[in-house]
Amino acid sequence: MSQKHLKEAFVSNLNGTSLLEISVGLSLAPLCLLCRGLLLILYYLHYGKPLSSRKYSLLLDFLVLVSPLLFSCTVLSPVIFFVPPVIAAFCAGIFSKIYSQRKQETRVPFRQVVKDFQKTYLDPEYIPAITVFRVYVNVLTSISILAVDFPQYPRRYAKAETYGTGVMDLGVGAFIFGNAVVCPEVRQRSYVTQPKFSHLARQFFSIWPLIVLGIGRLLSVKSVEYHEHTSEYGVHWNFFFTLAFVRLAASLLLAIFPKNNSWIVAINLAVLYQLILNATSLKTFILHGSDGRDTRVGVLNANREGLLSLFGYLAIYMASVQVGLWLLKCRNSVKGWIEAVCFLLLTVLVLFVFLHVSQAYADPVSRRMANLSYCIWVVAHCLTFFICFVVSDLTLVFTKLLVKGSSVPCCWNVVKPPNASKKHETEAVPMRREGKLSHICLISAINKNQLLFFLLANVMTGIVNILIDTIHSKTAFTLCILHLYMFFNCLIMHILHAKNIVLKFW
């Protein structure tokens, strides 16, 4: 077999992993974020000033926020269930040290600290968990698209062939979810007063970079005979096209239907699509082509997975718009966000019940078709991931209250109560120390150029695969390549952010 066919076979005919393993894996990123925040607070406690060195901040962020994820999806994957408890125990140790040292200075009872925490007001204009969620989806995707070509990346984490739940199957849907929760229809509160179809025209113009990137990927892959997993999207289709057309179709639906009812549109889309899959020969067509022998003759046959899965991804997008609208409701207190977390946990529980019913009576999870079970699974796990980030943020807010003056980039800002007197109302603004430190935060750096980061990761993945025989790489070499690859991508984002450069021209 040629190198191209070997690599294609290496990522084909896989069945995914368990929902439990994916859930455990999702807890790693929030724990890493919590660990980084606690280390920064401990540093402030010891030295009386925040870590302000760009060089050391980048090194800390990479070693704590990125490197553990690289190890967890490679050499630590056999013991993945033990990794979160170890990181959690380390975080608990740091917190205990912070609390004990702080207690020597101010002897406030723990119960009083908890009461003060519940009464704390947060900046309602900024929800860091949304930013961190989107950045980490990008980071995890960037790690996986290269790591999957190395033998140290477990085959169960790769995309399942037809049915199954691989980590990379979730990544595709999570990308859609992350884009939808911050889409213009969610962010522009005055959207309802604007001409709907002029807004649609602007959205049509804004997707052209994705179309260009999709065409560029198609031409580059075909020109160098790069290995492809055809059953993912088809012969000519790719994820850039999916992002573009889902966004355009969603804008059209949101111009027709009230955006507050987007969850109803999502349910109808997903259920109707599943009914058509089960009641007609559409499922057979997607899996086996029009002749039942996996033909790729004709545009529709050649790209049937990419074209028909748009219905499922569109349902995920519409459901995520509803989530985004709900998250942006003004919650300006810790108590309000604790209640929100409880509501989200209940929602996740209900979704997992629906997922069990859907898999038992409709169809198992299939990213290839983006069926009803896949839609429910993606939304449920994305909400779980988001909840973990909110809990991490609230923990850091609590810790910052213990150490007055401490700060953590990309974490909630504490503000003064809104019922303060007018004299003090002008002072009821977020503490700006976090804003000043955001220029040395890797999360802020990636967030500023997310599309560029994703594009750079795709280009670097292609270069590495062309230059290196990834399938036969040894463990030490694999870890070295993956760390260099991710550090290079992060370093470029860090430099652009330090110079305040945003490469967005549309």
Side-chain angles (χ1 to χ4, degrees):
M1 292 175 71
S2 66
Q3 188 74 4
K4 177 177 183 289
H5 290 119
L6 275 173
K7 290 191 174 183
E8 287 173 354
F10 193 56
V11 295
S12 301
N13 302 312
L14 304 172
N15 299 312
T17 185
S18 66
L19 296 178
L20 178 61
E21 185 169 15
I22 292 175
S23 299
V24 170
L26 286 180
S27 66
L28 287 172
L31 283 170
C32 290
L33 183 74
L34 176 61
C35 183
R36 192 277 300 253
L38 291 172
L39 286 171
L40 289 174
I41 294 172
L42 184 62
Y43 180 92
Y44 180 87
L45 192 61
H46 276 198
Y47 297 100
K49 62 179 181 178
L51 181 63
S52 57
S53 167
R54 290 180 178 177
K55 179 174 63 176
Y56 290 123
S57 292
L58 174 61
L59 190 60
L60 174 69
D61 283 358
F62 184 80
L63 291 177
V64 180
L65 299 180
V66 179
S67 192
L69 304 180
L70 281 168
F71 282 107
S72 297
C73 68
T74 51
V75 292
L76 294 181
S77 59
V79 292
I80 190 66
F81 287 94
F82 297 101
V83 178
V86 169
I87 299 177
F90 183 68
C91 290
I94 299 173
F95 179 84
S96 176
K97 188 173 181 65
I98 291 171
Y99 183 75
S100 62
Q101 291 191 2
R102 173 260 177 194
K103 203 173 179 182
Q104 294 170 9
E105 301 168 10
T106 52
R107 302 277 181 179
V108 179
F110 185 78
R111 286 186 179 181
Q112 184 60 44
V113 175
V114 173
K115 287 181 181 179
D116 292 341
F117 170 66
Q118 291 175 336
K119 296 175 183 177
T120 300
Y121 283 84
L122 306 171
D123 181 6
E125 298 299 319
Y126 175 56
I127 305 173
I130 294 178
T131 300
V132 176
F133 173 92
R134 298 181 71 242
V135 167
Y136 258 114
V137 167
N138 212 333
V139 168
L140 290 167
T141 302
S142 300
I143 292 172
S144 294
I145 60 176
L146 178 59
V148 71
D149 295 317
F150 289 90
Q152 290 75 20
Y153 189 87
R155 297 301 90 195
R156 67 185 186 275
Y157 289 178
K159 290 176 182 175
E161 186 69 23
T162 302
Y163 295 105
T165 52
V167 174
M168 294 184 72
D169 292 312
L170 177 63
V172 177
F175 227 100
I176 297 287
F177 183 97
N179 275 271
V181 292
V182 295
C183 70
E185 290 83 359
V186 171
R187 287 183 283 111
Q188 294 174 2
R189 296 177 184 179
S190 59
Y191 170 69
V192 291
T193 64
Q194 298 174 357
K196 291 185 176 181
F197 287 96
S198 66
H199 173 81
L200 182 61
R202 286 194 296 274
Q203 288 304 299
F204 181 79
F205 176 75
S206 69
I207 66 167
W208 73 263
L210 294 172
I211 299 293
V212 171
L213 291 173
I215 294 171
R217 176 178 169 77
L218 171 63
L219 295 176
S220 60
V221 165
K222 299 298 181 185
S223 62
V224 299
E225 292 192 359
Y226 191 76
H227 62 279
E228 300 175 83
H229 191 190
T230 307
S231 65
E232 280 187 31
Y233 299 105
V235 178
H236 311 105
W237 202 263
N238 58 57
F239 189 55
F240 290 112
F241 291 141
T242 295
L243 281 174
F245 283 94
V246 165
R247 184 169 166 183
L248 184 61
S251 295
L252 179 60
L253 288 175
L254 291 167
I256 299 171
F257 301 102
K259 60 182 180 180
N260 288 322
N261 293 333
S262 57
W263 67 278
I264 299 175
V265 179
I267 292 173
N268 279 290
L269 263 174
V271 172
L272 181 61
Y273 177 50
Q274 185 63 55
L275 288 173
I276 295 172
L277 284 173
N278 287 357
T280 68
S281 59
L282 185 62
K283 185 192 299 185
T284 303
F285 172 73
I286 294 174
L287 300 180
H288 306 294
S290 58
D291 65 351
R293 299 179 182 178
D294 201 28
T295 179
R296 293 289 174 179
V297 178
V299 175
L300 187 57
N301 266 308
N303 304 288
R304 55 183 185 266
E305 293 91 350
L307 290 169
L308 293 171
S309 64
L310 288 174
F311 294 103
Y313 289 123
L314 183 56
I316 293 171
Y317 193 100
M318 295 300 290
S320 307
V321 168
Q322 189 70 58
V323 172
L325 290 170
W326 185 81
L327 289 176
L328 289 184
K329 286 182 179 177
C330 188
R331 294 181 188 85
N332 59 355
S333 67
V334 166
K335 186 178 179 181
W337 273 104
I338 292 175
E339 291 172 355
V341 166
C342 293
F343 178 79
L344 286 174
L345 284 171
L346 181 60
T347 303
V348 168
L349 180 62
V350 171
L351 285 173
F352 274 115
V353 171
F354 284 150
L355 176 60
H356 178 75
V357 172
S358 177
Q359 292 205 99
Y361 297 101
D363 226 2
V365 172
S366 173
R367 174 207 43 81
R368 188 173 176 181
M369 292 182 282
N371 59 5
L372 175 62
S373 296
Y374 178 75
C375 296
I376 297 172
W377 174 58
V378 166
V379 174
H381 264 94
C382 285
L383 287 177
T384 304
F385 201 30
F386 179 80
I387 289 169
C388 291
F389 282 125
V390 172
V391 172
S392 292
D393 274 333
L394 290 175
T395 305
L396 289 174
V397 168
F398 180 83
T399 312
K400 286 197 296 180
L401 292 177
L402 295 176
V403 183
K404 301 298 182 184
S406 60
S407 56
V408 179
C410 294
C411 178
W412 252 312
N413 297 320
V414 176
V415 299
K416 292 184 179 179
N419 58 353
S421 64
K422 281 196 172 181
K423 180 181 177 182
H424 296 92
E425 214 164 281
T426 55
E427 299 174 13
V429 295
M431 293 186 299
R432 293 299 171 196
R433 191 182 296 274
E434 283 86 346
K436 291 178 182 177
L437 292 178
S438 67
H439 71 284
I440 57 172
C441 175
L442 182 58
I443 293 172
S444 297
I446 297 174
N447 183 56
K448 201 169 226 178
N449 285 288
Q450 287 224 42
L451 184 57
L452 178 65
F453 182 80
F454 184 58
L455 177 61
L456 183 62
N458 275 268
V459 172
M460 291 298 297
T461 296
I463 292 172
V464 171
N465 269 284
I466 291 170
L467 297 177
I468 295 173
D469 178 13
T470 55
I471 296 178
H472 301 104
S473 297
K474 302 296 182 182
T475 300
F477 181 74
T478 296
L479 290 173
C480 182
I481 290 296
L482 290 175
H483 275 84
L484 285 173
Y485 154 80
M486 283 305 297
F487 187 77
F488 176 78
N489 293 343
C490 292
L491 180 62
I492 296 298
M493 297 302 108
H494 186 80
I495 292 171
L496 291 175
H497 187 50
K499 296 182 179 297
N500 200 29
I501 298 173
V502 181
L503 295 180
K504 185 175 180 179
F505 43 86
W506 61 90

